[in-house]
Amino acid sequence: MAVLPDIRKRVLYAKYLLFRAKKDQNDRNELAVAACLLLLHDTAELLMLAATDHLGIGSKWGFMEFWEKVKQSGHNEPGHKVPMSQLNDMRVSLKHKGILPRPQSVRDLFPRVEIFCEDVTKDLLNLDFAALSLADLVADDEVRNTLRDATQALNSDDKNQAFINVRIAFDKLHRLISKDVPLIDEPSRLRSSRNEIPNHAMDDLNTVYEAVKECVETLNVSMLGIDPIRYTFFVSNTPHISWTVSGLHQTMLSRDYNNMPDEVFYACFEFVVDVALNASR
């Protein structure tokens, strides 16, 4: 039985929540680890509901009844019931008793939840969880297709092109979301020559210019709902792209991105998806 688009989208949402949980699991803040636990539980539950709706089982069941419901429908009982029970117990202790989870316990559960998602998606939905792309959550066709091209380039071991495409995708998205927002104009660089202004004064003015420019850039990205810290990470780890008025672009590679870890690419990729989802809200 083919998976309906709505079911597939819910599986994508589950994968997105799993990525969000991954970012929180290594945070030293104990509340971030607690948020990771809740996201892991929501990931599993969202996927369970997508699977039971696909199988026609319905959604009126408790979290730990999932395995028996699937078995009663004539399908093989899913695995990983014990770690999912641990996850559920920790979630109940947090939400209803105020007991914060041990960070290491949450980190130990993360790969178990990931494997559970992969197996349920494969066995009950006949989909490859790992192959599902978060790019499909992006509404704009151009941005979505460019992100897909970035992933394809990464899978083809062409990281230079992968990082170029993920930066192009962000630039396209940035132009889209900034159309209706009154942003602050960046300051113009001083045009005077050093013959007109003493060298030390020119150096001081250039320092002030760079500082003001950075402040304006930070304010503008904040006004667009973009996390300035993640934005700085993204800009520092992707190539600079210059654009013409007609929409042509030129790439300046300051490093060989083939030596960059895959984790950096995925952090940049997920950043663009997050920006796109925030913009759609």
Side-chain angles (χ1 to χ4, degrees):
M1 181 170 57
V3 174
L4 296 174
D6 174 65
I7 300 294
R8 188 177 185 278
K9 179 175 282 190
R10 287 158 66 184
V11 177
L12 276 171
Y13 287 154
K15 184 167 184 176
Y16 176 73
L17 292 179
L18 189 63
F19 273 108
R20 292 290 298 269
K22 188 175 184 179
K23 288 190 298 184
D24 288 338
Q25 70 167 333
N26 293 319
D27 198 313
R28 294 183 179 181
N29 184 335
E30 61 183 9
L31 290 179
V33 177
C36 174
L37 171 66
L38 296 177
L39 286 169
L40 288 176
H41 193 277
D42 287 346
T43 297
E45 189 168 35
L46 183 56
L47 189 60
M48 290 175 181
L49 288 166
T52 54
D53 279 354
H54 174 69
L55 299 175
I57 299 173
S59 56
K60 292 183 178 180
W61 42 266
F63 187 87
M64 293 309 300
E65 296 178 88
F66 170 73
W67 287 262
E68 185 61 28
K69 288 289 184 181
V70 172
K71 185 178 179 181
Q72 289 176 356
S73 69
H75 295 82
N76 292 331
E77 183 178 356
H80 314 287
K81 188 174 183 178
V82 172
M84 293 301 102
S85 177
Q86 294 171 346
L87 172 67
N88 193 53
D89 290 343
M90 290 168 64
R91 182 255 188 187
V92 170
S93 294
L94 172 62
K95 288 199 69 174
H96 301 289
K97 302 177 183 178
I99 301 174
L100 290 172
R102 292 179 60 251
Q104 191 56 50
S105 298
V106 176
R107 296 186 187 109
D108 289 343
L109 276 174
F110 184 90
R112 307 296 295 272
V113 174
E114 190 169 27
I115 294 173
F116 170 78
C117 291
E118 291 173 354
D119 288 351
V120 167
T121 306
K122 177 184 176 182
D123 297 339
L124 301 182
L125 297 167
N126 197 29
L127 294 174
D128 186 343
F129 189 76
L132 293 172
S133 176
L134 294 180
D136 290 342
L137 294 174
V138 177
D140 183 77
D141 291 340
E142 280 195 44
V143 177
R144 181 174 62 251
N145 291 334
T146 307
L147 285 174
R148 286 174 176 168
D149 292 342
T151 304
Q152 186 175 356
L154 182 75
N155 293 335
S156 301
D157 293 326
D158 188 356
K159 286 188 179 179
N160 280 327
Q161 191 59 51
F163 278 90
I164 290 171
N165 284 340
V166 80
R167 180 56 185 264
I168 291 173
F170 175 78
D171 285 358
K172 290 179 177 179
L173 178 61
H174 187 273
R175 286 203 303 272
L176 283 173
I177 64 179
S178 60
K179 284 181 179 179
D180 300 322
V181 180
L183 300 178
I184 303 170
D185 293 333
E186 290 190 2
S188 300
R189 185 179 290 277
L190 192 64
R191 300 293 182 184
S192 300
S193 67
R194 290 187 177 270
N195 293 330
E196 300 172 322
I197 301 177
N199 287 344
H200 69 277
M202 179 66 80
D203 290 339
D204 289 343
L205 286 171
N206 283 333
T207 300
V208 171
Y209 163 80
E210 293 296 338
V212 173
K213 181 182 178 183
E214 184 175 337
C215 288
V216 168
E217 186 177 33
T218 301
L219 282 171
N220 282 337
V221 297
S222 298
M223 289 165 64
L224 293 172
I226 299 173
D227 183 339
I229 296 176
R230 293 181 69 193
Y231 172 78
T232 300
F233 175 87
F234 176 84
V235 170
S236 63
N237 285 285
T238 53
H240 176 72
I241 309 288
S242 59
W243 294 84
T244 66
V245 176
S246 62
L248 299 177
H249 69 271
Q250 184 176 1
T251 305
M252 287 176 278
L253 288 175
S254 59
R255 69 182 81 172
D256 183 5
Y257 288 90
N258 287 308
N259 298 321
M260 294 285 278
D262 288 359
E263 290 76 11
V264 175
F265 169 82
Y266 285 119
C268 293
F269 180 94
E270 292 157 23
F271 168 74
V272 179
V273 172
D274 273 344
V275 172
L277 291 176
N278 287 336
S280 67
R281 287 198 290 267

